[in-house]
Amino acid sequence: MAGSTAKPLEPRLLAVAGEIRAETYADIGADHALLPCYLLQTGRVRRVIVVEKSRGPWENARRALRGLPAEVRLGDGLAPLAPGEVEVLSLCGMGARRMVRILSAHPERLPSRIVLQPNDAAEPLRRWALEAGFALSNEQMVPGFWYYTVLTFVRGSLSPAAAYQGLPREVALRYGPLLLAQRHPLLRGELERRRAYLRRLPPVERVRLEQAYLEQALALWDA
Ligand SMILES: C[S@@+](CC[C@H](N)C(=O)[O-])C[C@H]1O[C@@H](n2cnc3c(N)ncnc32)[C@H](O)[C@@H]1O
């Protein structure tokens, strides 16, 4: 974009940015709009629609995007978007369950490519995608304040169950089918840390169940 320099992004948002190229793209819950600004300034997208639920973040986004080909709408989730209006959608930096509520509220407004960066466990999003007919096309683990997962879902080109083939389904839903298939080194470290933590807890049913899933996941590295 003429006359503007893209600010460096933190690794989690950089990982999301690498998954996005579009004419028109929407970011739901953008706050300071760092990601949409970066995408516009690096030419990865031509036009942005930001949706913000709260007035303060809506004003932050308006300020950040002033002078850029962007529209900042005040509203809840996908409600202010028309069906087919954007090609790619992102939601970053919020809880996975909140994301599922937003994505489920207006299925007819979802584009065929969605990039998600939850701040907690991604399992509810993997479950949502299977139900909604979206396939996981990429899964990244990114260091930051903690390890973030960045998930890219597509509809139409891949079978939603494809990523899960050959893996124990419940284990893959919890820890990530593509991360497990890659034997991702950061995931292995995380699973080992979790194993050590669970061993210090009283062996109640919930802990024993998680331990069983965790051991199945770790066994994949030795298979
Ligand atoms: C923690 S900030 C994340 C900002 C940015 N996406 C990032 O990752 O750095 C979450 C933002 O989501 C917005 N938000 C939460 N629920 C929303 C909803 N249903 N619709 C639109 N925005 C929402 C909040 O107002 C807040 O600005």
Side-chain angles (χ1 to χ4, degrees), residues 111-116 125-126 128-130 134-138 151-155 164:
S112 59
R113 187 173 180 88
I114 300 176
V115 188
L116 304 172
L125 294 167
R126 296 190 190 100
W128 163 81
L130 273 181
F134 278 85
L136 195 53
S137 71
N138 195 17
L151 306 117
T152 305
F153 292 107
V154 295
R155 186 160 58 184
Y164 295 86

mmCIF file of all heavy atoms in Angstrom, residues 111-116 125-126 128-130 134-138 151-155 164:
data_model
loop_
_atom_site.group_PDB
_atom_site.id
_atom_site.type_symbol
_atom_site.label_atom_id
_atom_site.label_comp_id
_atom_site.label_asym_id
_atom_site.label_seq_id
_atom_site.Cartn_x
_atom_site.Cartn_y
_atom_site.Cartn_z
ATOM 1 N N PRO A 111 -17.435 -18.044 4.656
ATOM 2 C CA PRO A 111 -16.763 -18.279 3.364
ATOM 3 C C PRO A 111 -16.141 -19.675 3.363
ATOM 4 O O PRO A 111 -16.201 -20.400 4.360
ATOM 5 C CB PRO A 111 -15.677 -17.198 3.348
ATOM 6 C CG PRO A 111 -15.360 -16.957 4.774
ATOM 7 C CD PRO A 111 -16.631 -17.228 5.563
ATOM 8 N N SER A 112 -15.492 -20.043 2.253
ATOM 9 C CA SER A 112 -14.963 -21.407 2.172
ATOM 10 C C SER A 112 -13.566 -21.540 2.784
ATOM 11 O O SER A 112 -13.020 -22.628 2.831
ATOM 12 C CB SER A 112 -14.937 -21.883 0.719
ATOM 13 O OG SER A 112 -14.129 -21.006 -0.014
ATOM 14 N N ARG A 113 -13.009 -20.456 3.272
ATOM 15 C CA ARG A 113 -11.700 -20.542 3.952
ATOM 16 C C ARG A 113 -11.752 -19.719 5.244
ATOM 17 O O ARG A 113 -12.118 -18.533 5.226
ATOM 18 C CB ARG A 113 -10.610 -20.004 3.026
ATOM 19 C CG ARG A 113 -9.195 -20.189 3.561
ATOM 20 C CD ARG A 113 -8.172 -19.783 2.496
ATOM 21 N NE ARG A 113 -6.818 -19.948 2.963
ATOM 22 C CZ ARG A 113 -6.117 -21.082 2.845
ATOM 23 N NH1 ARG A 113 -6.655 -22.127 2.279
ATOM 24 N NH2 ARG A 113 -4.883 -21.167 3.293
ATOM 25 N N ILE A 114 -11.372 -20.370 6.352
ATOM 26 C CA ILE A 114 -11.462 -19.734 7.669
ATOM 27 C C ILE A 114 -10.160 -20.012 8.419
ATOM 28 O O ILE A 114 -9.707 -21.158 8.478
ATOM 29 C CB ILE A 114 -12.639 -20.328 8.475
ATOM 30 C CG1 ILE A 114 -13.953 -20.099 7.722
ATOM 31 C CG2 ILE A 114 -12.728 -19.736 9.864
ATOM 32 C CD1 ILE A 114 -15.142 -20.728 8.401
ATOM 33 N N VAL A 115 -9.579 -18.972 8.994
ATOM 34 C CA VAL A 115 -8.330 -19.144 9.744
ATOM 35 C C VAL A 115 -8.597 -18.722 11.193
ATOM 36 O O VAL A 115 -9.102 -17.622 11.436
ATOM 37 C CB VAL A 115 -7.182 -18.312 9.138
ATOM 38 C CG1 VAL A 115 -5.857 -18.671 9.808
ATOM 39 C CG2 VAL A 115 -7.089 -18.547 7.633
ATOM 40 N N LEU A 116 -8.268 -19.623 12.126
ATOM 41 C CA LEU A 116 -8.633 -19.412 13.528
ATOM 42 C C LEU A 116 -7.407 -19.531 14.427
ATOM 43 O O LEU A 116 -6.596 -20.445 14.257
ATOM 44 C CB LEU A 116 -9.674 -20.463 13.949
ATOM 45 C CG LEU A 116 -10.947 -20.524 13.099
ATOM 46 C CD1 LEU A 116 -11.804 -21.725 13.494
ATOM 47 C CD2 LEU A 116 -11.751 -19.240 13.251
ATOM 48 N N LEU A 125 -13.080 -26.338 18.216
ATOM 49 C CA LEU A 125 -13.099 -25.873 16.818
ATOM 50 C C LEU A 125 -12.962 -27.041 15.856
ATOM 51 O O LEU A 125 -13.605 -27.068 14.803
ATOM 52 C CB LEU A 125 -11.967 -24.864 16.599
ATOM 53 C CG LEU A 125 -12.153 -23.570 17.384
ATOM 54 C CD1 LEU A 125 -10.881 -22.745 17.392
ATOM 55 C CD2 LEU A 125 -13.311 -22.763 16.812
ATOM 56 N N ARG A 126 -12.137 -28.027 16.225
ATOM 57 C CA ARG A 126 -12.009 -29.211 15.351
ATOM 58 C C ARG A 126 -13.349 -29.950 15.306
ATOM 59 O O ARG A 126 -13.767 -30.424 14.251
ATOM 60 C CB ARG A 126 -10.891 -30.122 15.868
ATOM 61 C CG ARG A 126 -9.520 -29.479 15.825
ATOM 62 C CD ARG A 126 -8.405 -30.463 16.099
ATOM 63 N NE ARG A 126 -7.132 -29.774 16.280
ATOM 64 C CZ ARG A 126 -6.571 -29.500 17.460
ATOM 65 N NH1 ARG A 126 -7.140 -29.909 18.582
ATOM 66 N NH2 ARG A 126 -5.439 -28.840 17.529
ATOM 67 N N TRP A 128 -16.350 -28.610 15.839
ATOM 68 C CA TRP A 128 -17.287 -27.777 15.075
ATOM 69 C C TRP A 128 -17.083 -27.995 13.567
ATOM 70 O O TRP A 128 -18.059 -28.174 12.816
ATOM 71 C CB TRP A 128 -17.082 -26.291 15.429
ATOM 72 C CG TRP A 128 -17.709 -25.410 14.401
ATOM 73 C CD1 TRP A 128 -19.024 -25.078 14.304
ATOM 74 C CD2 TRP A 128 -17.049 -24.843 13.249
ATOM 75 N NE1 TRP A 128 -19.226 -24.327 13.157
ATOM 76 C CE2 TRP A 128 -18.040 -24.168 12.519
ATOM 77 C CE3 TRP A 128 -15.732 -24.839 12.787
ATOM 78 C CZ2 TRP A 128 -17.746 -23.490 11.337
ATOM 79 C CZ3 TRP A 128 -15.440 -24.173 11.609
ATOM 80 C CH2 TRP A 128 -16.433 -23.500 10.898
ATOM 81 N N ALA A 129 -15.804 -27.994 13.137
ATOM 82 C CA ALA A 129 -15.509 -28.080 11.699
ATOM 83 C C ALA A 129 -16.027 -29.389 11.104
ATOM 84 O O ALA A 129 -16.607 -29.395 10.009
ATOM 85 C CB ALA A 129 -14.005 -27.946 11.468
ATOM 86 N N LEU A 130 -15.845 -30.486 11.820
ATOM 87 C CA LEU A 130 -16.334 -31.779 11.309
ATOM 88 C C LEU A 130 -17.843 -31.737 11.094
ATOM 89 O O LEU A 130 -18.351 -32.206 10.086
ATOM 90 C CB LEU A 130 -15.997 -32.888 12.314
ATOM 91 C CG LEU A 130 -14.625 -33.554 12.205
ATOM 92 C CD1 LEU A 130 -14.485 -34.628 13.254
ATOM 93 C CD2 LEU A 130 -14.405 -34.146 10.806
ATOM 94 N N PHE A 134 -16.315 -28.554 7.276
ATOM 95 C CA PHE A 134 -15.039 -27.925 6.930
ATOM 96 C C PHE A 134 -13.902 -28.901 7.196
ATOM 97 O O PHE A 134 -13.911 -29.619 8.204
ATOM 98 C CB PHE A 134 -14.807 -26.662 7.769
ATOM 99 C CG PHE A 134 -15.515 -25.450 7.244
ATOM 100 C CD1 PHE A 134 -16.840 -25.216 7.583
ATOM 101 C CD2 PHE A 134 -14.870 -24.556 6.411
ATOM 102 C CE1 PHE A 134 -17.507 -24.097 7.098
ATOM 103 C CE2 PHE A 134 -15.528 -23.450 5.920
ATOM 104 C CZ PHE A 134 -16.848 -23.212 6.256
ATOM 105 N N ALA A 135 -12.907 -28.895 6.300
ATOM 106 C CA ALA A 135 -11.734 -29.777 6.457
ATOM 107 C C ALA A 135 -10.550 -28.949 6.962
ATOM 108 O O ALA A 135 -10.381 -27.788 6.576
ATOM 109 C CB ALA A 135 -11.380 -30.398 5.118
ATOM 110 N N LEU A 136 -9.755 -29.583 7.799
ATOM 111 C CA LEU A 136 -8.550 -28.930 8.308
ATOM 112 C C LEU A 136 -7.481 -29.020 7.217
ATOM 113 O O LEU A 136 -7.079 -30.124 6.840
ATOM 114 C CB LEU A 136 -8.118 -29.698 9.561
ATOM 115 C CG LEU A 136 -7.104 -29.083 10.504
ATOM 116 C CD1 LEU A 136 -7.494 -27.682 10.946
ATOM 117 C CD2 LEU A 136 -6.959 -29.993 11.723
ATOM 118 N N SER A 137 -7.027 -27.869 6.702
ATOM 119 C CA SER A 137 -6.007 -27.946 5.641
ATOM 120 C C SER A 137 -4.623 -27.602 6.160
ATOM 121 O O SER A 137 -3.625 -27.930 5.522
ATOM 122 C CB SER A 137 -6.367 -27.042 4.467
ATOM 123 O OG SER A 137 -6.205 -25.694 4.832
ATOM 124 N N ASN A 138 -4.547 -26.922 7.285
ATOM 125 C CA ASN A 138 -3.232 -26.657 7.889
ATOM 126 C C ASN A 138 -3.421 -26.427 9.382
ATOM 127 O O ASN A 138 -4.463 -25.927 9.817
ATOM 128 C CB ASN A 138 -2.565 -25.440 7.249
ATOM 129 C CG ASN A 138 -1.087 -25.358 7.577
ATOM 130 O OD1 ASN A 138 -0.474 -26.349 8.018
ATOM 131 N ND2 ASN A 138 -0.487 -24.202 7.386
ATOM 132 N N LEU A 151 -5.322 -22.705 13.068
ATOM 133 C CA LEU A 151 -6.014 -23.723 12.274
ATOM 134 C C LEU A 151 -6.603 -23.087 11.014
ATOM 135 O O LEU A 151 -7.255 -22.047 11.098
ATOM 136 C CB LEU A 151 -7.157 -24.337 13.081
ATOM 137 C CG LEU A 151 -6.764 -24.891 14.446
ATOM 138 C CD1 LEU A 151 -7.490 -24.125 15.533
ATOM 139 C CD2 LEU A 151 -7.067 -26.352 14.553
ATOM 140 N N THR A 152 -6.373 -23.735 9.887
ATOM 141 C CA THR A 152 -6.972 -23.276 8.622
ATOM 142 C C THR A 152 -7.984 -24.322 8.183
ATOM 143 O O THR A 152 -7.647 -25.505 8.054
ATOM 144 C CB THR A 152 -5.893 -23.103 7.535
ATOM 145 O OG1 THR A 152 -4.891 -22.230 8.048
ATOM 146 C CG2 THR A 152 -6.487 -22.523 6.262
ATOM 147 N N PHE A 153 -9.218 -23.887 7.978
ATOM 148 C CA PHE A 153 -10.291 -24.789 7.550
ATOM 149 C C PHE A 153 -10.778 -24.370 6.160
ATOM 150 O O PHE A 153 -10.904 -23.173 5.882
ATOM 151 C CB PHE A 153 -11.473 -24.722 8.514
ATOM 152 C CG PHE A 153 -11.178 -25.297 9.878
ATOM 153 C CD1 PHE A 153 -11.005 -24.471 10.980
ATOM 154 C CD2 PHE A 153 -11.082 -26.668 10.063
ATOM 155 C CE1 PHE A 153 -10.735 -25.005 12.234
ATOM 156 C CE2 PHE A 153 -10.811 -27.207 11.315
ATOM 157 C CZ PHE A 153 -10.637 -26.368 12.398
ATOM 158 N N VAL A 154 -11.042 -25.378 5.336
ATOM 159 C CA VAL A 154 -11.577 -25.092 3.997
ATOM 160 C C VAL A 154 -12.818 -25.949 3.766
ATOM 161 O O VAL A 154 -12.944 -27.036 4.342
ATOM 162 C CB VAL A 154 -10.535 -25.369 2.888
ATOM 163 C CG1 VAL A 154 -9.350 -24.437 3.003
ATOM 164 C CG2 VAL A 154 -10.069 -26.820 2.903
ATOM 165 N N ARG A 155 -13.699 -25.441 2.918
ATOM 166 C CA ARG A 155 -14.902 -26.223 2.590
ATOM 167 C C ARG A 155 -14.957 -26.422 1.089
ATOM 168 O O ARG A 155 -14.696 -25.494 0.339
ATOM 169 C CB ARG A 155 -16.155 -25.493 3.075
ATOM 170 C CG ARG A 155 -17.413 -26.326 2.885
ATOM 171 C CD ARG A 155 -18.544 -25.880 3.760
ATOM 172 N NE ARG A 155 -18.912 -24.483 3.548
ATOM 173 C CZ ARG A 155 -19.843 -23.863 4.272
ATOM 174 N NH1 ARG A 155 -20.480 -24.492 5.226
ATOM 175 N NH2 ARG A 155 -20.128 -22.596 4.038
ATOM 176 N N TYR A 164 -8.151 -36.981 9.616
ATOM 177 C CA TYR A 164 -8.238 -37.891 10.774
ATOM 178 C C TYR A 164 -7.950 -39.342 10.413
ATOM 179 O O TYR A 164 -7.866 -40.187 11.293
ATOM 180 C CB TYR A 164 -9.629 -37.771 11.428
ATOM 181 C CG TYR A 164 -9.839 -36.392 12.011
ATOM 182 C CD1 TYR A 164 -10.324 -35.348 11.229
ATOM 183 C CD2 TYR A 164 -9.496 -36.122 13.336
ATOM 184 C CE1 TYR A 164 -10.472 -34.070 11.747
ATOM 185 C CE2 TYR A 164 -9.642 -34.850 13.863
ATOM 186 C CZ TYR A 164 -10.128 -33.831 13.068
ATOM 187 O OH TYR A 164 -10.250 -32.563 13.593
#
